[in-house]
């Protein structure tokens, strides 16, 4: 928080770095990895939600708790799927930039 002006001045004084195809390749790999992790998270959360749904039927005494856990897991699954979609888009953007970096 303190001294942020110094960093901004240094960044403004430094020459702008030109991104290379290698930089975009690294970024593309990063987004691919994150997309895969998000897909895995979505699958795991979805499986857990299904497990809790079944547990709610088998254990009526604690059904409310199982239903709450099911709802939370379902929300996590949807969020992870959204993150996977976002990372897929970012990966495509990095790939597009990498292709065009060769031409400049």
């Amino acid at each position: 928080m303190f001294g942020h002006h110094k960093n901004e001045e240094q960044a403004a004084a430094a020459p702008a770095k030109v991104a290379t195809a290698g930089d975009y390749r690294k970024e593309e790999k990063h987004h691919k990895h994150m997309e895969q992790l998000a897909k895995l998270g979505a699958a795991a959360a979805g499986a857990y939600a299904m497990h809790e749904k079944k547990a709610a039927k088998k254990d009526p005494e604690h059904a409310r708790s199982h239903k709450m856990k099911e709802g939370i897991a379902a929300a996590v699954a949807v969020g992870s799927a959204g993150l996977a979609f976002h990372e897929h888009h970012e990966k495509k953007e990095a790939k597009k930039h990498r292709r065009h970096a060769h031409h400049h």
Side-chain angles (χ1 to χ4, degrees):
M1 186 157 140
F2 299 105
H4 67 279
H5 294 290
K6 182 179 176 184
N7 291 337
E8 289 173 3
E9 290 169 8
Q10 287 174 345
K17 182 183 174 198
V18 177
T20 64
D23 294 336
Y24 289 120
R25 186 176 308 274
K26 189 174 181 181
E27 184 180 348
E28 184 182 348
K29 280 183 163 186
H30 171 73
H31 289 300
K32 180 179 181 181
H33 185 224
M34 295 302 292
E35 177 187 359
Q36 290 171 340
L37 286 174
K39 284 180 181 179
L40 182 61
Y48 186 72
M50 291 173 62
H51 163 77
E52 287 297 331
K53 184 172 185 153
K54 186 181 277 190
K57 290 179 183 178
K58 284 187 171 184
D59 185 13
E61 189 176 333
H62 301 105
R64 182 175 174 169
S65 172
H66 290 297
K67 286 181 183 179
M68 288 178 65
K69 290 176 186 176
E70 175 194 352
I72 292 167
V76 170
V78 170
S80 292
L83 177 61
F85 183 77
H86 168 76
E87 290 296 336
H88 180 74
H89 175 74
E90 292 293 318
K91 179 182 73 173
K92 284 173 52 176
E93 283 292 313
K95 188 174 189 178
K96 184 172 81 172
H97 286 293
R98 177 176 52 89
R99 286 184 182 158
H100 293 298
H102 286 294
H103 300 293
H104 296 287

